[in-house]
């Protein structure tokens, strides 16, 4: 056998001196083979390092793979890494393996990635929907019994289970916290695109908190970005307007990092900040960052548990599960309004 190729079933058969069909029967536990032959085949498998092609086998026999397909918009965002951990911990005891890919929030890339997962007959498909994606093409797969769960955002064109955070209520609580500390000029730094479900829900929570406190909504205090440098620039623009905000609400963890970086650059410790999403080292900042924390691990666990229930035969109507957020007070959101 050449050293630069993977061992095949034929190599195992040649090592033992039996047919490839006999090796297949042993590995798939399909039909009778003697105990001696079985031991010889398994010894050869271990010696050669042969790995059965489970995907090919499952396609051949018409069964599902032992994998879960997870589509996220950004592999670099630690939020989705924690979500994946929650999924993996939940499905591991069922013998399922998590496969993960990034759509880059592009509908075409999302469709291509889901098609690849479907081609290998994953047991479960979990998708963080891209903005503008249509999921009607998944209807036949769901009808055939494939558990499909939308995570973090609802999908479009397919009635199936969704797991989301309490985005609107969480944002309202965070902004109300700033208002309770005397702030009335509160900027909102939100994600792009503006049609993104989480951004819309969090902006709605921001507006609800203002309305509750009889504070007029000022469109000039709402800015948008899609990455940390963009959030830094958006923050700088907010701080330059006449009657600039005394407090800022970050629409997600990436926006929060941009806000913190820009305030540090300008040595601005007089601006209160509350962020939606926790960030690493939030407690090490000065002041420590007050956040409305999601529970990404619970989002993952809930998505996995819902999918496993479907896999086990739950045929009830599609439902949306909302995972609560919680306000963590650390100092930045409690900064007082500067005296004139």
């Amino acid at each position: 056998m050449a050293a630069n190729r993977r061992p095949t079933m034929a190599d195992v058969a040649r090592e033992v001196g039996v047919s490839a069909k006999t090796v297949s029967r042993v590995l798939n536990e399909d039909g009778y083979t003697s105990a001696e032959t079985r031991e010889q085949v398994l010894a050869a498998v271990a010696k050669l390092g042969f790995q059965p092609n489970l995907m090919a086998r499952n396609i051949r026999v018409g069964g599902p793979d032992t994998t879960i397909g997870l589509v996220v918009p950004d592999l670099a965002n630690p939020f989705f890494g924690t979500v994946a951990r929650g999924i993996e911990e939940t499905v591991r005891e069922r013998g399922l393996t998590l496969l993960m890919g990034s759509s880059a929030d592009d509908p075409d890339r999302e469709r291509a990635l889901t098609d690849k997962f479907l081609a290998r007959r994953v047991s479960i498909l979990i998708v963080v929907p891209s903005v503008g994606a249509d999921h009607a093409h998944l209807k036949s797969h769901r009808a055939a019994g494939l558990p499909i769960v939308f995570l973090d955002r609802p999908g479009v064109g397919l009635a199936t289970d969704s797991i989301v955070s309490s985005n609107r209520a969480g944002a309202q609580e965070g902004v109300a916290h700033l208002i309770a500390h005397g702030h009335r000029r509160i900027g909102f730094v939100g994600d792009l695109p503006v049609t993104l479900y989480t951004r819309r829900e969090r902006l709605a929570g921001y507006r609800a908190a203002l309305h509750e406190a009889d504070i007029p909504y000022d469109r000039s205090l709402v800015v948008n970005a899609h990455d940390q440098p963009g959030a830094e620039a958006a923050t700088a623009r907010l701080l330059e307007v006449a009657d600039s905000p005394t407090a800022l609400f970050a629409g997600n963890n990436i926006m929060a990092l941009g806000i913190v970086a820009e305030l540090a650059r300008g040595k601005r410790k007089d601006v209160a900040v509350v962020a939606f999403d926790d960030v690493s080292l939030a407690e090490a900042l000065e002041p420590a960052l007050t956040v409305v924390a999601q529970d990404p691990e619970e989002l993952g666990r809930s998505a996995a548990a819902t999918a496993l229930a479907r896999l086990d035969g739950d045929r009830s109507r599609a439902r949306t599960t909302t995972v609560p957020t919680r306000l963590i007070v650390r100092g930045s959101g409690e900064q007082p309004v500067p005296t004139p």
Side-chain angles (χ1 to χ4, degrees):
M1 184 180 67
N4 60 349
R5 71 173 178 85
R6 298 170 68 183
T8 66
M9 191 177 293
D11 295 322
V12 175
R14 193 177 304 114
E15 178 77 15
V16 180
V18 297
S19 67
K21 188 173 182 179
T22 297
V23 175
S24 177
R25 280 203 303 269
V26 170
L27 296 178
N28 296 321
E29 298 182 352
D30 180 21
Y32 172 78
T33 52
S34 69
E36 181 182 3
T37 299
R38 176 180 172 77
E39 289 179 8
Q40 290 175 338
V41 168
L42 294 179
V45 166
K47 175 183 175 182
L48 299 177
F50 171 67
Q51 291 288 332
N53 188 334
L54 294 179
M55 183 177 76
R57 175 190 178 275
N58 290 327
I59 291 174
R60 184 173 66 253
V61 302
D65 197 4
T66 57
T67 55
I68 292 178
L70 171 62
V71 181
V72 300
D74 183 5
L75 290 172
N77 190 329
F79 175 85
F80 293 111
T82 308
V83 166
R85 184 173 63 200
I87 295 172
E88 192 170 45
E89 289 179 352
T90 305
V91 303
R92 186 183 301 126
E93 63 184 30
R94 294 287 293 266
L96 297 171
T97 302
L98 182 65
L99 300 179
M100 190 172 174
S102 172
S103 67
D105 244 333
D106 179 274
D108 293 334
R109 285 183 60 171
E110 179 194 308
R111 174 68 181 266
L113 192 52
T114 56
D115 284 348
K116 288 180 180 177
F117 284 147
L118 293 170
R120 67 171 296 146
R121 304 182 65 86
V122 292
S123 295
I124 291 169
L125 182 63
I126 301 176
V127 180
V128 179
S130 303
V131 175
D134 186 340
H135 302 94
H137 67 285
L138 297 173
K139 285 182 178 179
S140 61
H141 298 280
R142 187 179 187 278
L146 175 68
I148 300 174
V149 177
F150 291 132
L151 180 62
D152 190 51
R153 316 163 185 171
V156 175
L158 179 68
T160 195
D161 300 307
S162 297
I163 313 296
V164 298
S165 290
S166 54
N167 293 286
R168 187 177 302 210
Q172 184 171 353
E173 182 181 19
V175 176
H177 184 72
L178 291 168
I179 294 170
H181 284 81
H183 299 279
R184 295 184 64 83
R185 297 285 291 171
I186 302 171
F188 179 91
V189 183
D191 199 1
L192 286 172
V194 294
T195 54
L196 184 68
Y197 166 79
T198 49
R199 183 205 181 273
R200 287 189 288 108
E201 286 294 295
R202 294 167 195 174
L203 180 62
Y206 164 84
R207 297 189 66 164
L210 297 180
H211 178 76
E212 185 76 15
D214 293 323
I215 299 174
Y217 172 70
D218 185 343
R219 180 65 186 83
S220 70
L221 295 182
V222 176
V223 295
N224 310 296
H226 191 55
D227 53 23
Q228 182 174 331
E232 293 175 23
T235 301
R237 291 196 303 272
L238 270 179
L239 297 178
E240 290 170 358
V241 302
D243 195 11
S244 62
T246 61
L248 297 173
F249 183 79
N252 67 16
N253 54 353
I254 305 301
M255 301 303 103
L257 293 175
I259 289 172
V260 168
E262 181 59 31
L263 292 178
R265 183 179 296 111
K267 295 181 171 55
R268 295 290 302 271
K269 294 188 177 182
D270 58 328
V271 179
V273 180
V274 172
F276 198 105
D277 282 346
D278 210 349
V279 300
S280 60
L281 300 179
E283 294 180 341
L285 300 173
E286 181 56 46
L289 188 63
T290 294
V291 301
V292 176
Q294 297 190 83
D295 192 341
E297 196 160 346
E298 178 57 28
L299 285 168
R301 285 193 295 262
S302 184
T306 299
L308 289 174
R310 296 298 188 187
L311 197 63
D312 291 339
D314 181 358
R315 295 294 179 263
S316 60
R317 294 183 63 179
R319 55 189 177 270
T320 297
T321 301
T322 302
V323 177
T325 57
R326 63 189 181 99
L327 181 69
I328 302 176
V329 175
R330 295 192 178 116
S332 69
E334 297 70 61
Q335 295 282 92
V337 178
T339 54

